[in-house]
Amino acid sequence: MSAPLPMRPAARESILRIAPYIPGRSTAGAARKEYKLSSNENPLGPSPAAREAFIAAATSLERYPDGGATLLRDAIADTYGLKADRIICGNGSDEILSMIAHAFLAEGDEAIFTEHAFLMYRIVTLAAGADPVVVAEPDMQIDVDAILAAVTERTKIVFLANPNNPTGSYTPAAEVKRLREGLPASVLLVIDAAYAEYVRKNDYESGIELVATRDDTIMTRTFSKIHALAGLRLGWAYAPAAVIDALHRVRGPFNVNAPAIAAGVAALADRAHMEEAVAHNAYWLPEVSRRVRELGFAVPDSVGNFILIDFSPVEGADAGNADDFLGARGCVLRRVAGYGLPQMLRMTIGDEEANEAVIAALSEYRKGLPGG
Ligand SMILES: *Cc1c(COP(=O)(O)O)cnc(C)c1O
């Protein structure tokens, strides 16, 4: 006799193991003026040309978008010197990560990522019915040998955020290459380069060069960060032909909407606006890091548009209390206990006013502590 049927429709067991993603808070509640620095959004906003293209697209909302996002793929191909047929676009790069998991993972497979990696890797792995394998990240740096040691014959994917969010650390090109060369050819290496445009390091490579020479590696990118189009949900990936082919098979036929395509094309064309965002961050990232360190808190080096503030070196300080204290002064930062970093907060680099507000509030918080 077979087991009795459930009393109601039941999701797969692995789906119920997913802890839902909790986005950065948009409001702290009490304060009048608020500085939202919890989701790594770009304080300069999108290119005015992208905004105009978005508004112009509102005149034809009755029409389906081009399912192949051809104009956008061509614009990306032109910008980066790539072949358009090796590019796929998504409703945010999160959607592409999810398509990758659905196309390449099955029940019983394993996907590897590191201890403080972006939370979406666990979510998409479990959603595909596969098992997450978490590798230690000593001093919040990627340890290539530890990743290689975790590979089994069940491993199908390795996710690598480069730079990583929330740690802000990056893996040099030579190390990424060593990782790739140490992995079996059957393992897909996913390089998530959401913050690539912000990185100003000679030994960094976003993944384009590696993907160009191999058939086992994919790089994902986003319009949410440097292009400030997070609300539109737009991402892309560059991958070998066979990987692109598999992703097209699981992709919804109209996964990227028409206003997003139009705005994305315009954003890529406005090179000056993008460079302004890079320059803003290049000034404020070290400036904010230095001034927060001067208050006695630790700030690990970051190459992204955000920093971690580590409260543990200061007696009596606590990330939870500090978050409440900052929130009451309108500064909305991100708790990262869910990333295994309970004594830290993540702060997005904001505009001048927001950055100064956080530094002033932190300084006040420090003064209220023993020895402050
Ligand atoms: C913000 C972010 C993304 C981008 O997500 P979208 O879905 O494109 O908005 C991807 N990976 C990491 C590590 C991020 O921090």
Side-chain angles (χ1 to χ4, degrees), residues 135-136 142-151 175 178-179 182:
V135 169
I142 296 297
D143 179 344
V144 166
D145 297 305
I147 296 176
L148 292 176
V151 173
E175 280 292 282
R178 193 166 75 79
L179 169 62

Side-chain angles (χ1 to χ4, degrees), residues 21 39-41 90-97 117-121 160-166 192-195 220-225 229-231 233-236 305-306 339 346:
Y21 184 86
S39 300
N40 297 346
E41 291 151 347
N91 187 36
S93 52
D94 284 354
E95 189 202 24
I96 300 180
L97 295 172
F118 188 46
L119 285 175
M120 284 304 298
Y121 311 148
L160 178 72
N162 196 24
N164 185 42
N165 165 24
D192 174 352
Y195 301 93
T220 61
R221 299 284 282 263
T222 183
F223 283 82
S224 299
K225 306 287 159 56
L229 293 173
R233 314 303 305 125
L234 191 57
W236 60 279
N305 68 336
F306 54 89
Y339 286 91
R346 192 190 68 197

Side-chain angles (χ1 to χ4, degrees), residues 3 18 72-73 120 149-150 159 230 236 272 276 314 329:
I18 298 175
L72 181 59
R73 286 189 303 109
M120 284 304 298
F159 289 105
W236 60 279
E276 213 180 306
V314 175
R329 283 148 190 83

